[in-house]
Amino acid sequence: AQKVTQAQTEISVVEKEDVTLDCVYETRDTTYYLFWYKQPPSGELVFLIRRNSFDEQNEISGRYSWNFQKSTSSFNFTITASQVVDSAVYFCALSENSGGYQKVTFGIGTKLQVIP
Amino acid sequence: KAGVTQTPRYLIKTRGQQVTLSCSPISGHRSVSWYQQTPGQGLQFLFEYFSETQRNKGNFPGRFSGRQFSNSRSEMNVSTLELGDSALYLCASSLGGTGIWNTEAFFGQGTRLTVV
């Protein structure tokens, strides 16, 4: 069984603070994908990053960075110098092939509020 | 280019009725997938269509079905609606050559279904 845990349901930070969103996953497969999506109030999910299980290299994209650690089954997401526009719900997701189908599991999401 | 378009945006149905939701993917995208989002269950994968064929499916009852047309537009149907089917239904499209989770997916704004 696969599982994605986002222990932080809501986080509030003051603008310009750094914030880390945690994601811990469980899977028995050696091949899988991890994702982060952002859902602003408008509703659509915005793709942020995809990482496959064989690539543990951390990634930085502007103010966003991701720390993938297989040893702790974590794929954490950090926003530096947060801005009000970062306010949204962020989802971590895990995908793996199972019986010919790709099974996808989303975390429950972390609601981030950036206060001006 | 135009994004993913879902219609209608809002829908109210009575228990026992059936409903059809529509999703028009980004031009050139051949993969369309559907998701259900509820406060209690979070985001759950329903199914994915690629070139008019269902390629992947989640763990939902047979009341939930879909199809994809030759122009890649997709419809999702829910029969015998239950109160628990009230949710935001999101559609995503991608080029999808080797599975939606191997390429970036673009989401629509969703259809908010309320069953009364």
Side-chain angles (χ1 to χ4, degrees):
Chain A
Q2 57 178 1
K3 183 180 176 182
V4 177
T5 302
Q6 293 181 258
Q8 308 144 306
T9 52
E10 290 194 42
I11 301 176
S12 289
V13 299
V14 176
E15 199 171 20
K16 297 185 183 177
E17 285 185 346
D18 297 348
V19 58
T20 295
L21 309 183
D22 297 333
C23 174
V24 175
Y25 62 93
E26 295 177 30
T27 178
R28 288 177 287 188
D29 276 17
T30 56
T31 302
Y32 52 89
Y33 288 91
L34 294 164
F35 301 79
W36 276 97
Y37 278 87
K38 172 183 179 180
Q39 187 176 40
S42 54
E44 77 275 19
L45 287 169
V46 178
F47 170 88
L48 295 177
I49 190 172
R50 180 184 75 242
R51 175 67 74 230
N52 73 54
S53 53
F54 298 106
D55 183 4
E56 281 195 77
Q57 192 172 21
N58 291 329
E59 179 150 341
I60 298 175
S61 176
R63 298 184 296 108
Y64 296 168
S65 63
W66 290 269
N67 182 6
F68 177 28
Q69 292 194 339
K70 289 179 72 172
S71 60
T72 56
S73 296
S74 64
F75 187 43
N76 297 338
F77 173 33
T78 297
I79 302 174
T80 57
S82 61
Q83 300 176 1
V84 173
V85 293
D86 295 328
S87 296
V89 180
Y90 291 85
F91 292 93
C92 179
L94 166 69
S95 169
E96 60 182 341
N97 285 318
S98 177
Y101 294 101
Q102 282 186 308
K103 290 191 179 294
V104 175
T105 304
F106 285 89
I108 200 67
T110 297
K111 184 177 182 179
L112 173 65
Q113 183 179 17
V114 181
I115 303 166
Chain B
K1 57 183 176 182
V4 179
T5 303
Q6 290 188 247
T7 57
R9 290 292 311 278
Y10 302 92
L11 205 50
I12 298 176
K13 287 287 188 179
T14 303
R15 193 169 45 180
Q17 288 186 312
Q18 68 95 26
V19 66
T20 299
L21 311 182
S22 178
C23 173
S24 293
I26 291 172
S27 177
H29 284 191
R30 297 167 62 190
S31 170
V32 173
S33 59
W34 291 87
Y35 305 83
Q36 181 196 65
Q37 186 175 24
T38 60
Q41 299 296 321
L43 264 167
Q44 296 185 87
F45 171 68
L46 279 156
F47 31 64
E48 182 215 355
Y49 286 86
F50 180 79
S51 294
E52 302 179 64
T53 301
Q54 188 182 84
R55 185 164 63 176
N56 295 301
K57 63 182 180 180
N59 188 25
F60 274 81
R63 298 186 298 108
F64 292 81
S65 63
R67 59 178 175 170
Q68 187 179 35
F69 302 95
S70 57
N71 62 358
S72 293
R73 189 178 72 86
S74 176
E75 288 182 346
M76 190 193 90
N77 185 275
V78 187
S79 62
T80 319
L81 283 165
E82 301 176 358
L83 297 180
D85 296 333
S86 295
L88 177 67
Y89 289 88
L90 292 163
C91 160
S93 80
S94 76
L95 291 170
T98 55
I100 187 169
W101 295 100
N102 294 337
T103 60
E104 181 177 349
F106 296 84
F107 282 78
Q109 290 187 302
T111 293
R112 174 77 61 185
L113 171 66
T114 302
V115 182
V116 298

